[in-house]
């Protein structure tokens, strides 16, 4: 009886509100399911890296023990974070960090300067340079890699840090992102500083660069992820452990007959930490400026 | 990036410029532009042009005493005659066919959900992006264990859910499954980027349009179909094109997990190219493959331009 009475008692607004409420519930449930799919493999990685018994790791997978470790140990991390020895991932980690730092640092300077001149310079042919830069964006890294390896080996640069840094500093995409960011700033900024007699470089360094934190953050994250995750290029240009990055070192696990999953897991977790820190540090700016510049519908 | 050019900002025109200052400014501008131009020329333009030249020679990887000969389009003809090349092209097409709905669909759905005013949505945005910052090598370590045959987690779960009726699947070792397995892990890894792009597209749709639709009595589905979808047209084009281009460059996952196997079922264009160049040491031949890869990417990019123009954006 009362069941039948409810609809008539409910006002239109109430009914809509409860419909929205149940929609919210469904939406939240969907998000939690996606979150589970996204996170559980990463969580399993973390848990597995804390297990000591490398035979047990695979046996634990597929049961709830994949998400639980009864006696966590950092011994895998201690083992792989060495700076010398057979599984000296500490060394590769430092290599990768050095490569990332140099690439991103130089990339921010070089690409932002170019973007600035393209946006505010008076150079004749600026528009042509801009269109060329945009056109170059179409060339995939994969299709220039053959001749580039030859060039680098002729120049005697293989197996160095430089060969992993210098070719990837300048990038059409990042020049364009900086150009786009600078171009949208008000021209009064430039005019006022110019009136005061500031040079172009001065205006760039003291006024525009400090204002471009969102762009700098976005490019740092994108360049950082790109540099950190490079795989094809370093496998082709590094022959020894001297300058080899951690991605290549971890990949060598797969060549072995019996994979040391415990160490592979620990090394993988180590590899995630720096890039995660970079991402968390810049995330706030990253999302907002990526949203601003990625797709101008 | 859609690479639409914002109008060049009008640069201040100095009315009474001192000549010398003009020149100093010019030098400074050149000096600021030079590093990028020089680096792009040496490491992008030159190798790009070289790849066309190398493709038409019999250049080996290791220099030989015999001089390198110009052999015209012979390499291209050889590539086209190689069944393995066509297999690799077919495989990346299959990969694209699967990754587009799986990855873009998941990204679109997540973006729609996270565009709602739900609690903790910024937290989830960050969370969903986590795999995208994870190195593909690490992703391979994780998914390599998930795919273990016959006792890996996936097989355990499937066996449990089906009460043991479904036999364990050799995810990476079965030619019928290997490429699909690569699709799954690739979609998981890269979908965060697409999701952020979709979120950007959703934020670009003005709220007034939704309000107007609501006043006209449009229900939620009608608002989605007549406001959201048209507003996202350029975003859809962008996401689909970027995903397709990425798909045609598929390499790392395959190189680490399957090496193109089993029975060439995961051989890809880039993997084929790298093998030809560095294992078989035929650099000219590999360069021909790289030129073909570039042409494929170029065609996809041109199609994108045409589509965007048609949508008048």
């Amino acid at each position: 009886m009362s069941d039948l009475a409810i609809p008539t008692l409910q006002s239109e607004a109430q009914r809509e509100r409860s419909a929205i409420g149940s929609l919210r519930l469904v939406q939240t449930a969907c998000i939690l399911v996606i979150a589970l799919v996204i996170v559980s493999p990463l969580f399993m990685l973390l848990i597995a890296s804390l297990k000591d018994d490398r035979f047990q790791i695979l046996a634990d997978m597929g049961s709830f023990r994949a998400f639980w470790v009864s006696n966590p140990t950092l011994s895998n991390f201690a083992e792989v974070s060495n700076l010398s020895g057979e599984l000296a991932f500490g060394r590769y980690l430092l290599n990768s960090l050095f490569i990332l730092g140099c690439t991103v640092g130089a990339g921010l300077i070089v690409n932002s300067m170019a973007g600035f001149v393209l946006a505010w310079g008076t150079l004749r042919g600026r528009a042509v340079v801009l269109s060329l830069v945009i056109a170059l964006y179409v060339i995939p890294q994969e299709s220039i890699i053959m001749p580039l390896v030859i060039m680098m080996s002729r120049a005697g640069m293989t197996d160095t840090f430089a060969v992993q840094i210098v070719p990837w500093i300048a990038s059409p995409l990042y020049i364009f992102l900086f150009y786009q960011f600078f171009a949208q700033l008000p021209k009064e900024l430039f005019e006022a500083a110019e009136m005061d007699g500031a040079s172009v470089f001065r205006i760039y360094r003291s006024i525009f660069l400090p204002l471009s934190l969102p762009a700098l953050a976005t490019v740092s994250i994108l360049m950082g992820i790109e540099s950190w995750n490079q795989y094809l290029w370093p496998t082709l240009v590094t022959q020894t452990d001297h300058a080899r990055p951690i991605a290549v070192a971890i990949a060598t696990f797969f060549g072995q007959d019996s994979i040391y999953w415990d160490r592979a897991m620990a090394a993988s977790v180590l590899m995630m930490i720096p890039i995660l820190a970079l991402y968390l540090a810049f995330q706030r700016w990253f999302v907002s400026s990526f949203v601003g510049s990625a797709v101008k519908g | 990036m859609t690479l639409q050019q914002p109008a060049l900002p009008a640069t201040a025109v100095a009315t009474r410029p001192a000549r010398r200052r003009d020149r100093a400014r010019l030098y400074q501008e050149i000096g600021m532009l030079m590093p990028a131009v020089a680096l792009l020329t040496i490491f992008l333009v030159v190798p790009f042009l070289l790849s066309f030249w190398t493709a038409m020679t019999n250049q080996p990887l290791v220099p030989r005493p015999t001089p390198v000969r110009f052999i015209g389009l012979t390499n291209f003809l050889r590539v086209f005659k190689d069944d393995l090349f066509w297999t690799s092209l077919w495989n990346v097409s299959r990969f694209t066919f699967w990754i587009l709905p799986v990855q873009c669909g998941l990204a679109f759905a997540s973006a729609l959900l996270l565009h709602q005013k739900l609690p903790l949505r910024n937290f989830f945005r960050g969370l969903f992006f986590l795999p995208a910052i994870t190195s593909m090598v690490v992703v391979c370590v994780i998914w390599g264990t998930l795919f273990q045959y016959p006792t890996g987690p996936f097989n355990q779960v499937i066996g449990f859910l089906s009460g043991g009726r479904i036999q364990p699947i050799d995810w990476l070792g079965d030619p019928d499954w290997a490429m699909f397995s690569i699709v799954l892990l690739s979609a998981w890894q890269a979908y965060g980027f697409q999701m952020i792009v979709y979120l950007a597209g959703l934020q670009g749709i003005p709220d007034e349009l939704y309000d107007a639709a609501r006043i006209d009595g449009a229900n939620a589905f009608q608002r989605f179909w007549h406001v959201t979808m048209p507003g996202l047209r350029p975003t859809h084009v962008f996401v689909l094109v970027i995903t397709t281009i990425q798909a045609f460059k598929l390499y790392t996952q395959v190189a680490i997990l399957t090496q193109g196997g089993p029975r060439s079922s995961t051989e890809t264009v880039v993997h084929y190219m790298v093998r030809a160049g560095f294992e078989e040491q035929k650099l000219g031949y590999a360069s021909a493959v790289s030129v073909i890869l570039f042409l494929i990417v170029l065609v996809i990019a041109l199609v994108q331009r045409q589509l965007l123009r048609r949508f008048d954006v």
Side-chain angles (χ1 to χ4, degrees), chain A residues 134-158:
Chain A
I134 292 171
L136 288 180
Y137 176 62
V138 184
I139 304 175
Q141 194 207 66
E142 286 80 2
S143 74
I144 59 162
I145 223 155
M146 295 284 147
L148 203 52
V149 169
I150 297 301
M151 281 169 64
M152 295 299 99
S153 73
R154 296 273 155 83
M157 278 175 69
T158 48

Side-chain angles (χ1 to χ4, degrees), chain A residues 223-269:
Chain A
M223 272 191 105
I225 296 174
E226 196 177 88
S227 161
W228 195 251
N229 297 344
Q230 279 266 14
Y231 176 74
L232 175 56
W233 179 247
T235 50
L236 297 180
V237 294
T238 61
Q239 283 90 40
T240 68
D241 294 344
H242 163 65
R244 184 163 283 176
I246 187 163
V248 180
I250 291 180
T252 56
F253 268 116
F254 288 93
Q256 297 161 0
D257 287 338
S258 63
I259 300 178
Y260 285 81
W261 286 112
D262 51 348
R263 292 166 195 173
M265 301 280 176
S268 299
V269 171

